[in-house]
Every structure is written in structure tokens, then in C-alpha cells.
Amino acid sequence: MEIAVRLTTAPKAKPDGTKLGFGQVFTDHMFMMDYNPEQGWHNPCIVPYGPLELDPATAVFHYAQAVFEGMKAFRAVDGRVLLFRPWLNLERLNRSNERMCIPKVDPEFVLKAMKQLVDVERDWVPSAPGTSLYIRPFIFATDTILGVHPARTYKFLIILSPVGSYYPQGINPVSIYVEPEYVRAVRGGTGEAKAAGNYASGLKAQRAAQAGGHAQVLWLDALERRYVEEVGAMNVFFHFGDEVATPELSGSILPGITRRSVLELLQSWGVRVTERKITINEVFHAHSEGTLKEAFGTGTAAVISPIGQLAWGDRAITINANEIGELSRKLYDTLTGIQTGRLTDEFGWTEEV
Ligand SMILES: *Cc1c(COP(=O)(O)O)cnc(C)c1O
């Protein structure tokens, strides 16, 4: 499929690369294509970034049949532009599609389109430390019928946003609130998919956490409220004694690519890593025994985000004196080092645009 390109005649001024927030400004162009059962995915194009005109009955507004991905393009130290394990995002996109009854995309074609879009916007890839060009592919149902059923027609878009650190705190430790009542996902539900509706259902708990001065929510399992699942839109790791543990992929947890990369890095360093059930009680107990060394979240947006404080009901603990832990620091430096070409990419994780 040939990608039609129409370039803007009014390029925007680029933001100051040292003052970037997260997902606040968008580049000059976006990628779009359409789906219908007769033509499959068709009409691929790169066009000036701008609003879409949609019928009020468009299915996604009503029933949230939509999925997305989140990845980054990095400015390498030698000026190249690098993607990090993009195939894993595309595989996951198709798994999310499958769960949400959305037609699959051709990963090879989407990667080609993504690279072409990033290439058009190459000058938007920032170079200040900790910055990158965030890539947001997403797909939504566009049928204009109010019946509840999988749509016949869809739109796929990719938009780009130059970003700084996800949390204003950067890699500094954040305070996390263990959500006692609301749950994010249940086995058999859509928690494994990057489905838009998952995030809407998490907002209420996030608002309560933020009102209490915490950066994010730590979710417990939906059935027993005992097992740790994730932290906001990040997977979570605990360093207990000589073990680094993360919740096993139980069916309600999003399989993060940063999670997978952290597991692979730790294994390559000879660290004992386990994917298993972790109760919130175990975390607090380990803290009182003095064996909880570090806790951190992992995700594309924040990379590694150390947890400095954890509040659960009327109990609150400070982890590693609210400092960035040794392992968190090493993982952050290694991942960002590989992503920006500062370190040798021994695993073949990066792909040049
Ligand atoms: C995207 C996401 C993650 C992290 O996945 P990465 O591939 O590492 O970015 C974790 N949890 C949730 C709920 C997410 O949406």
C-alpha cells in the first residue's frame, strides 16, 4: 500500500526542548487509515495534524471500542533516531485488537508507516536528556449506529508528541496509594488489552489518590483485594532481600514491554527475578522486617519510577528512605542508555528510523 503524503503549509514553532511536559504538544502531521470489510485497511495517508469531523453517533463515543499503544522515538547521541522494540508494541496492538473485536493490522505495514511519519517529523525528536518523541497509535470504531455490536468500520491514527518526563518529579521517588475499594481489571475482562475504557474506569481512584497527595494508585486484584497488580499505567517490581519480584501476568495485568525488558536485563545481570503472586501484606511485612529494599514502576512513559512512599489504609511506609534505589538507577541508566545509543545495544532492541 502506497502512503499518500500531504505536508502542512503552516509548520508550528517547536517547543523549548528543556521544558517539555507529557503529551501536551503535537507535531505537524499525523498518520491515518480506514477500515471496512470490503477494502480492509485502506487509504493510508500522512496529513497535517488537525481535528477530525465525526458523526455524533460514532460508535466509539458510546461504547468505547478503541485500543491504543504507547512508544517512543529517541534522539541518539550520534543524531540518529531510534525506536525501542517496536515489534512488541505492534504484536500487543493486535492482541488488544483481538480482545476488542477490532480487525488486526499488518505489523510490517504499520511499522513502515510509523517510521515514515517519524521521518517526516524528524526535527521534532528532542535531544535534551530525558526527552523523546512519544508515539501514540490508536484505533477506534466509526460505525454510526447505536446498536451494541462490533463495528464494521474503523479509523487508525498515529499522532506524535515531544515529551519530557512523565512525572514532574522525573526519576525521583513518588508516593503511591493502595486503592482499597475500586479495581482496574478482573481476569476475563479487558485489563490485558490497552483498551481505552480501562483508563476511564481508573480515573476515580486516581483522583482520590491525587487528592491525598499521591502520584498514582496501586491496584489490587479484583476478587480478593490482596494481590498486587500494577501502579497506574505501569507494571510494578519489588526488591525483597536477594529477590526481585513482579506480579505474574494473571490475565488482568497489562503485559508491559518495559516490564519484559527489565526482567530480561535483571536476568542478564544474574539477579534472581521471579514472576509470581505478591500480596500487599507481604510488601508491608517485608518493610517491617527490613527486607523491602526497593519498589518501582515500569512503563514507556516514565521508564523506571521509584516508589518512595506507599499508603495502605491507615498504614504508610517509606521505602529506601525515599531515595532512588541502586537497582532503579541502574535499570533507568541502562534502558535509557540503550534507547539513546549511549550504551551498546547487545540485545538488538533498537531500530533506526
Ligand atoms: C502501557 C501500560 C503499561 C506499561 O507498558 P509498557 O509497554 O512498558 O509501556 C503498564 N500498565 C498499563 C495499565 C498500561 O496501560
Side-chain angles (χ1 to χ4, degrees):
M1 253 190 314
E2 198 50 35
I3 301 171
V5 180
R6 183 164 58 85
L7 296 180
T8 181
T9 52
K12 296 178 251 193
K14 300 198 176 49
D16 179 345
T18 62
K19 296 201 182 80
L20 293 168
F22 191 86
Q24 295 168 14
V25 287
F26 298 94
T27 66
D28 287 320
H29 301 89
M30 59 189 185
F31 172 82
M32 281 204 296
M33 65 179 174
D34 298 309
Y35 181 90
N36 65 36
E38 296 74 36
Q39 293 165 282
W41 287 108
H42 63 285
N43 268 350
C45 56
I46 290 172
V47 294
Y49 184 95
L52 305 174
E53 189 171 313
L54 294 166
D55 189 286
T58 300
V60 68
F61 296 144
H62 304 275
Y63 310 123
Q65 196 193 357
V67 298
F68 68 95
E69 267 304 325
M71 45 214 290
K72 285 173 169 174
F74 300 89
R75 178 69 67 183
V77 283
D78 59 5
R80 288 177 305 152
V81 172
L82 301 176
L83 301 177
F84 184 72
R85 312 190 82 176
W87 293 105
L88 296 183
N89 291 86
L90 298 172
E91 265 173 36
R92 184 171 68 190
L93 177 64
N94 272 338
R95 288 201 304 276
S96 299
N97 285 343
E98 163 72 23
R99 179 65 184 83
M100 301 306 291
C101 297
I102 294 173
K104 292 192 179 166
V105 294
D106 172 2
E108 267 174 49
F109 177 74
V110 171
L111 185 58
K112 177 182 127 173
M114 183 179 295
K115 285 182 172 175
Q116 193 173 334
L117 178 65
V118 172
D119 187 40
V120 166
E121 306 292 50
R122 188 171 288 270
D123 292 347
W124 283 86
V125 183
S127 59
T131 65
S132 57
L133 187 67
Y134 187 77
I135 305 173
R136 167 55 58 87
F138 60 108
I139 306 177
F140 58 92
T142 54
D143 283 11
T144 54
I145 308 171
L146 290 184
V148 178
H149 51 74
R152 294 179 69 257
T153 61
Y154 297 86
K155 266 193 190 300
F156 177 114
L157 279 85
I158 305 175
I159 57 174
L160 306 174
S161 172
V163 298
S165 58
Y166 186 68
Y167 291 117
Q169 297 91 329
I171 196 215
N172 289 321
V174 292
S175 175
I176 300 290
Y177 164 83
V178 181
E179 170 55 47
E181 183 186 358
Y182 298 112
V183 296
R184 190 188 90 89
V186 64
R187 278 194 295 286
T190 57
E192 269 184 325
K194 244 174 149 67
N198 291 345
Y199 303 83
S201 63
L203 294 176
K204 190 155 184 190
Q206 189 187 323
R207 188 166 66 179
Q210 285 172 353
H214 308 286
Q216 269 297 347
V217 172
L218 184 146
W219 298 107
L220 299 178
D221 78 282
L223 299 181
E224 299 181 61
R225 310 284 200 284
R226 283 179 66 207
Y227 300 104
V228 171
E229 296 226 317
E230 343 193 6
V231 179
M234 291 186 293
N235 296 110
V236 65
F237 286 75
F238 299 95
H239 188 179
F240 296 122
D242 71 349
E243 174 199 17
V244 177
T246 191
E248 64 195 18
L249 298 177
S250 58
S252 53
I253 293 174
L254 198 290
I257 289 152
T258 320
R259 174 188 183 277
R260 176 162 163 177
S261 305
V262 162
L263 287 170
E264 291 172 13
L265 276 179
L266 290 172
Q267 274 153 9
S268 80
W269 296 341
V271 176
R272 188 162 77 88
V273 285
T274 52
E275 296 175 74
R276 62 174 176 86
K277 287 190 160 64
I278 301 167
T279 64
I280 187 65
N281 216 34
E282 176 183 359
V283 174
F284 276 72
H285 183 69
H287 180 267
S288 67
E289 297 281 295
T291 55
L292 176 61
K293 295 181 177 162
E294 288 178 53
F296 54 89
T298 67
T300 296
V303 192
I304 300 291
S305 182
I307 300 174
Q309 282 167 330
L310 198 55
W312 179 34
D314 53 11
R315 300 164 73 180
I317 56 176
T318 299
I319 302 170
N320 192 38
N322 205 24
E323 306 268 349
I324 302 168
E326 207 180 304
L327 212 51
S328 308
R329 167 59 71 188
K330 187 173 173 193
L331 285 164
Y332 180 85
D333 288 346
T334 307
L335 282 170
T336 56
I338 293 171
Q339 288 165 338
T340 58
R342 217 173 354 92
L343 298 178
T344 320
D345 176 14
E346 286 167 37
F347 301 91
W349 283 347
T350 57
E351 191 148 327
E352 191 177 345
V353 174

